[in-house]
């Protein structure tokens, strides 16, 4: 039975996490010797839809415009479940983005499917068992979950699976689902885009600051560091609690969990609740003036020193490296 | 307004996570269990929104050992509590039990935490919404209620979305919705006598089973670079770690 991938877009463009999910879904389809169909909802251009083919989907069901122009999870879940039924898909893949977390459980209930949220690896299928590894205990462990239902919904953690280019153009087919008026009770009034250049949950590099930076006026150097690296900014909880930075930048157990390729922590002690949100980063760099700071125990690279001296020099060194590259 | 807050009983945030039985069981030995931090936020907001004109019921799917956490929620200010007497097998099982209860006892507003800090599923809110055929929002940063309609702020990648939703609906609360409340002496005293009803679960098929755990591979020893030589760090990040 085919695999269905929901390809989430942001203002008509697919995000990196979407292509990761397509690549992941392609690999699942290959495991099962079957085809991969994508479903896109919202106003996405034909050219952009073609991109899905590059990552291995043979076909794209395109639901455009009208009432479904904006994301309403109740309605989108109905459309995705309907598409799954139409093509007979038994595995539905999506990204565990903010919207994905709203959709996956609703699709799961509609299809009587077991749901894996936050998958970090491809499913293993042997001896009639279907298991998937996911994060648990706020990054302190992984759990392997067996799905025992016929239908399965898998939401992939961003940055956990590498994009693979495989395939060519996808056939685009218009899909006009039944829409139920009662699915549109929630209404979007406004979307506020932050001015950040790189969005934190998707970022490949994150530059994060803690209380060691003393005050909001000192964030200029972190902004510059983020800028030269093409990184997103983050902070520890006390920093956002004190309103030095917006709450949307707070990472950790009670904030956003990130898993970038590179996490640079400046003036952050490395409390267990902070680590819960960042410990699945691939490489961790810590800059702290206290050699005993717990963060060094989980870091790959560290500089023991005063951030106010180290960061400007680091910016200079990166600029020199970029000039050479 | 009648509000329902779903609460879970989770290992304290500082717990060292270990496993037993060949990594198939979470080791609860010596682990302190607490009210899920996000559920504390949901509870605090529900209390604020119903002050003087309504009630807050807390509900938990759990065995008798979760009662201290339920009493804590009552001490913080919930009006009454319900415990569905069963092991919380998975999010689907939990949502199904709670949905059955809500169908028999309707509420205007149903809040959960954005996720439980043990399995981090973020699933119960959406499943409840679907089971009850009402709207759900998975992660909200702000919640205002005006008569029969609420305004919520939802987090999205690179910004936020502001929505209006008619009651009843389900929402998962995150930081920003309210400051957690600390129980006072009067709350602690009254928590002992507030109603806590225990009901038996209904039968339902489950779809998932945790079959094993692992802890992340420990990182190697940190490589320290002298503060005087950040260029060395850049070189390592490029040539060795290959991240820039
Ligand atoms: C239930 C609960 C949930 C929590 N959730 C979170 C969460 O999600 N995220 C989170 O971050 N925290 C969370 N916390 C708080 C957490 O326990 C820590 O208090 C917090 O992470 C500390 O932030 P910090 O490292 O910025 O500050 P501090 O602990 O004050 O550390 C500052 C660090 O800066 C260093 N420093 C000082 N000056 C300099 C300098 N000039 N140059 C270089 N280094 C310098 C110091 O050596 C120190 O290590 C939570 C706590 C609880 C109880
Ligand atoms: N056993 C439970 N009993 C009642 N509510 C729960 C239970 N488990 C989870 N919840 C609620 O669902 C939210 C999300 O949990 P989860 O989907 O498991 O991440 C939690 O913050 C709680 O509000």
């Amino acid at each position: 039975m085919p695999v269905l991938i929901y390809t989430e877009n942001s203002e008509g463009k697919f995000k990196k996490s979407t292509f990761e999910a397509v690549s992941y879904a392609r690999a699942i389809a290959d495991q099962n010797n079957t085809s991969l169909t994508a479903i896109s909802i919202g106003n996405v251009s034909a050219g952009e839809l073609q991109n899905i083919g590059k990552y291995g989907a043979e076909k794209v069901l395109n639901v455009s415009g009208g009432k479904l122009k904006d994301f309403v999870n109740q309605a989108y879940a109905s459309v995705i479940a309907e598409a799954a039924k139409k093509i007979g898909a038994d595995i539905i893949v999506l990204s565990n983005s903010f919207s994905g977390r709203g959709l996956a459980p609703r699709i799961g209930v509609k299809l009587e499917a077991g749901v894996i949220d936050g998958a970090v690896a491809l499913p293993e299928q042997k001896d009639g068992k279907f298991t998937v590894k996911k994060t648990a205990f706020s990054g302190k462990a992984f759990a392997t979950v067996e799905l025992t239902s016929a239908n399965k919904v898998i939401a992939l953690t961003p940055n956990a699976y590498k994009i693979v280019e495989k395939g060519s153009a996808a056939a685009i087919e218009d899909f006009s689902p039944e829409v139920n008026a009662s699915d549109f009770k929630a209404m979007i009034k406004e979307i506020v885009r932050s001015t950040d250049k790189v969005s934190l949950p998707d970022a490949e590099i994150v530059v994060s600051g803690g209380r060691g930076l003393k005050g909001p006026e000192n964030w200029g150097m972190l902004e510059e560091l983020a800028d030269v690296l093409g990184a997103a900014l983050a902070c520890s909880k006390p920093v956002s609690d004190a309103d030095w930075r917006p709450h949307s930048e707070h990472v950790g157990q009670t904030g956003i969990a990130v898993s970038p390729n590179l996490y640079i922590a400046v003036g952050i002690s490395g409390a267990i609740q902070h680590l819960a949100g960042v410990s699945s980063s691939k490489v961790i760099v810590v800059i702290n003036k206290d050699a005993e700071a717990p963060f060094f125990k989980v870091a790959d690279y560290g500089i023991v020193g005063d951030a106010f001296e180290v960061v400007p020099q680091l910016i200079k060194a990166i600029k020199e490296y970029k000039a050479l590259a | 307004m009648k509000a329902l807050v779903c609460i879970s009983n989770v290992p304290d945030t500082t717990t060292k996570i270990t496993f037993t039985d060949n990594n198939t069981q979470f080791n609860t030995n010596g682990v302190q269990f607490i009210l899920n931090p996000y559920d504390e936020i949901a509870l605090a907001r529900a209390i604020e929104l119903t002050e003087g004109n309504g009630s807050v019921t807390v509900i938990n799917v759990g065995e008798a050992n979760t009662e201290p956490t339920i009493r804590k929620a009552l001490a913080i200010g919930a009006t009454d509590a319900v415990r569905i007497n069963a092991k919380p097998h998975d999010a689907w099982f939990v949502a199904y039990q709670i949905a059955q209860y809500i169908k028999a006892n309707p509420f205007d507003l149903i809040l959960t935490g954005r996720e439980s800090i043990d399995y981090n599923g973020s699933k119960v809110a959406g499943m409840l919404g679907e089971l009850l055929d009402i709207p759900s929002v998975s992660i909200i940063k702000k919640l205002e209620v005006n008569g029969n309609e609420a305004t919520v702020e939802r987090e999205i990648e690179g910004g936020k979305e502001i929505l209006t939703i008619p009651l009843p609906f389900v929402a998962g609360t995150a930081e920003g919705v309210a400051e957690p409340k600390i129980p006072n002496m009067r709350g602690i005293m009254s928590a002992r006598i507030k109603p806590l009803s225990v009901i038996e679960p209904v039968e339902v098929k489950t779809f998932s089973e945790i079959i094993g755990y692992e802890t992340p591979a420990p990182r190697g020893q940190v490589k320290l670079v002298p503060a005087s030589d950040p260029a060395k760090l850049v070189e390592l990040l490029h040539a060795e770690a290959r991240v820039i």
Side-chain angles (χ1 to χ4, degrees), chain A residues 59-91:
Chain A
K59 187 159 83 179
V60 182
L61 300 175
N62 181 36
V63 184
S64 66
K67 282 189 99 162
L68 290 161
K69 179 171 67 59
D70 296 317
F71 177 80
V72 175
N73 74 16
Q74 207 174 350
Y76 275 40
S78 297
V79 171
I80 296 166
E82 193 185 321
K85 284 185 188 146
K86 179 187 139 111
I87 65 164
D90 58 348
I91 300 176

Side-chain angles (χ1 to χ4, degrees), chain A residues 31-50:
Chain A
Q31 284 183 339
N32 295 288
N33 289 318
T34 185
S35 62
L36 177 65
T37 296
I39 176 160
S40 168
I41 313 176
N43 293 333
V44 182
S45 70
E48 183 71 4
L49 288 172
Q50 286 294 353

Side-chain angles (χ1 to χ4, degrees), chain A residues 138-154:
Chain A
S138 306
K140 290 187 232 173
F142 297 103
T144 298
V145 183
E146 181 185 355
L147 291 182
T148 51
S149 50
N151 291 331
K152 300 165 181 82
V153 176
I154 308 177

Side-chain angles (χ1 to χ4, degrees), chain B:
Chain B
M1 181 166 69
K2 279 185 70 174
L4 181 72
V5 178
C6 306
I7 59 171
S8 51
N9 185 50
V10 296
D12 181 55
T13 52
T14 54
T15 307
K16 180 152 170 40
I17 304 295
T18 58
F19 305 103
T20 59
D21 295 356
N22 203 11
N23 282 337
T24 59
Q25 301 292 327
F26 170 51
N27 183 5
T28 54
N29 222 332
V31 172
Q32 164 94 29
F33 280 82
I34 59 165
L35 174 56
N36 188 34
Y38 298 112
D39 305 353
E40 282 193 53
I41 296 172
L43 177 59
R45 190 63 187 137
I47 293 169
E48 287 167 9
L49 288 170
T50 53
E51 214 135 54
N53 71 349
S55 62
V56 179
T57 301
V58 289
I59 191 164
N60 169 257
V61 179
E63 292 175 310
N65 60 350
T66 68
E67 290 204 358
T69 291
I70 300 176
R71 291 286 174 205
K72 164 117 193 256
L74 290 169
I76 290 170
T79 319
D80 55 10
V82 177
R83 180 169 68 80
I84 300 177
N85 188 26
K87 233 188 158 100
H89 182 86
D90 61 9
W92 159 253
F93 179 86
V94 168
Y96 192 88
Q97 301 300 334
I98 297 176
Q100 292 306 312
Y101 180 80
I102 297 172
K103 281 179 187 164
N105 305 275
F107 289 87
D108 304 305
L109 177 67
I110 299 143
L111 296 181
T112 73
R114 65 172 274 180
E115 66 192 45
S116 57
I117 64 167
D118 48 4
Y119 295 106
N120 312 106
S122 283
K123 287 189 294 211
V124 170
M127 287 182 171
L128 271 177
E130 191 61 39
L131 285 164
L132 298 166
D133 199 19
I134 57 177
S136 59
V137 215
S138 47
I139 302 181
I140 65 168
K141 312 284 275 181
K142 227 177 225 162
L143 168 63
E144 299 294 339
V145 178
N146 237 319
N148 279 323
E149 190 179 77
T151 304
V152 307
E153 225 176 82
R154 177 174 88 89
E155 180 145 15
I156 56 175
E157 284 78 7
K160 61 186 179 190
E161 198 173 270
I162 297 157
L163 302 123
T164 56
I165 314 177
L167 303 183
F169 66 93
V170 194
T173 60
E175 287 242 317
V177 168
E179 278 305 314
K181 290 188 195 311
I182 293 155
N184 58 25
M185 208 38 171
R186 224 186 70 210
I188 294 168
M189 300 302 286
S190 66
R192 282 188 227 152
I193 50 168
K194 283 182 178 172
L196 190 174
S197 45
V198 178
I199 57 179
E200 290 306 314
V202 285
E203 261 204 53
V204 58
K205 247 196 345 235
T206 57
F207 299 139
S208 72
E209 208 77 50
I210 296 180
I211 58 164
Y213 295 96
E214 55 195 278
T215 36
R219 286 176 197 266
Q221 186 76 24
V222 60
K223 265 195 192 163
L224 290 180
V225 174
S228 55
D229 192 11
K232 176 83 197 157
L233 176 63
V234 177
E235 190 193 313
L236 285 168
L237 291 177
H238 173 67
E240 188 179 81
R242 298 173 183 276
V243 286
I244 62 172

